[in-house]
Amino acid sequence: AQKVTQAQTEISVVEKEDVTLDCVYETRDTTYYLFWYKQPPSGELVFLIRRNSFDEQNEISGRYSWNFQKSTSSFNFTITASQVVDSAVYFCALSEGGDTGKLIFGQGTTLQVKP
Amino acid sequence: ETGVTQTPRHLVMGMTNKKSLKCEQHLGHNAMYWYKQSAKKPLELMFVYNFKEQTENNSVPSRFSPECPNSSHLFLHLHTLQPEDSALYLCASSRKGGASAGASYEQYFGPGTRLTVT
């Protein structure tokens, strides 16, 4: 069965600190997709990144970076030089291949960035 | 309007009421989804529609009735709800690559409807 685990329920950092959000997944599929979403207090989930299982290259987008390691079934998300506006709930999600549209979400990690 | 919109943003209803949630996407997508987000729980997929056809019903109670008249609009009709149905209901849309493509595309979410059942 597919499963996504975000072991960190809440993280609190001070502005400008780097922070890494962990995501571990389970799947039997060889083709799958991983996602990260941000949910600010307004409630709307904002898409951050999509990665397929055949692309293990790490990705950097501004202050955001993602480390995908199939060997450990992890897809971790790092925010460099965090800012107060980064405060939100972050969700990691997994989708099996075959375009079923089903996303399995982790429990989410609440990140609080203090000024 | 851009992206995915949902109305109403907040809804309070009694257990005997009938109400509907509306979702509209302006992204040209052909797949739409309903999710339920309760406190302390992960997002739960409720329904999936592809090209207006329901392709997924995740064991949702019949008091929730979805309707997808076209690829841009999705409704969730509610009747005789229970207090435990109080939650944030999120709508999303995505591309659909087709059965042969095998790809899974990112979903774009609306702001949600905060539902309180009294």
Side-chain angles (χ1 to χ4, degrees), chain B residues 4 7 9 21 28-29 31 34 51 55 63 68 82 85 87 91 95-96 100 113 117:
Chain B
V4 181
T7 55
R9 294 293 309 276
L21 309 184
H29 292 159
W34 279 117
F51 296 99
T55 55
R63 57 185 182 271
C68 189
Q82 305 298 312
D85 296 322
C91 173
R95 291 172 56 189
K96 177 170 168 58
S100 61
T113 296
V117 181

Side-chain angles (χ1 to χ4, degrees), chain B residues 22-100:
Chain B
K22 178 183 176 182
C23 175
E24 185 173 359
Q25 60 95 1
H26 310 268
L27 300 169
H29 292 159
N30 39 40
M32 296 188 78
Y33 313 80
W34 279 117
Y35 287 86
K36 175 183 179 183
Q37 186 177 27
S38 306
K40 309 290 185 184
K41 284 187 175 181
L43 277 83
E44 302 171 66
L45 178 66
M46 300 175 71
F47 302 103
V48 180
Y49 277 83
N50 288 306
F51 296 99
K52 303 187 300 179
E53 299 296 321
Q54 187 181 123
T55 55
E56 185 78 22
N57 177 337
N58 202 22
S59 303
V60 180
S62 60
R63 57 185 182 271
F64 295 91
S65 175
E67 178 190 0
C68 189
N70 55 60
S71 293
S72 298
H73 294 85
L74 185 64
F75 295 90
L76 188 62
H77 304 298
L78 316 171
H79 64 97
T80 59
L81 294 190
Q82 305 298 312
E84 60 264 29
D85 296 322
S86 298
L88 180 68
Y89 288 85
L90 292 160
C91 173
S93 70
S94 74
R95 291 172 56 189
K96 177 170 168 58
S100 61

Side-chain angles (χ1 to χ4, degrees), chain A residues 28-69:
Chain A
R28 292 181 181 178
D29 294 331
T30 55
T31 301
Y32 52 90
Y33 296 81
L34 296 163
F35 305 81
W36 275 94
Y37 284 86
K38 174 183 180 179
Q39 187 177 35
S42 60
E44 181 173 344
L45 270 80
V46 177
F47 165 72
L48 296 178
I49 190 172
R50 164 182 176 257
R51 172 70 74 215
N52 74 52
S53 53
F54 299 109
D55 183 1
E56 285 193 74
Q57 281 193 345
N58 292 331
E59 181 152 342
I60 298 174
S61 176
R63 295 184 297 108
Y64 294 171
S65 61
W66 291 270
N67 183 355
F68 176 30
Q69 293 198 353

Side-chain angles (χ1 to χ4, degrees), chain A residues 95-107:
Chain A
S95 178
E96 61 189 10
D99 196 27
T100 63
K102 292 179 66 174
L103 280 180
I104 306 299
F105 282 86
Q107 296 270 14

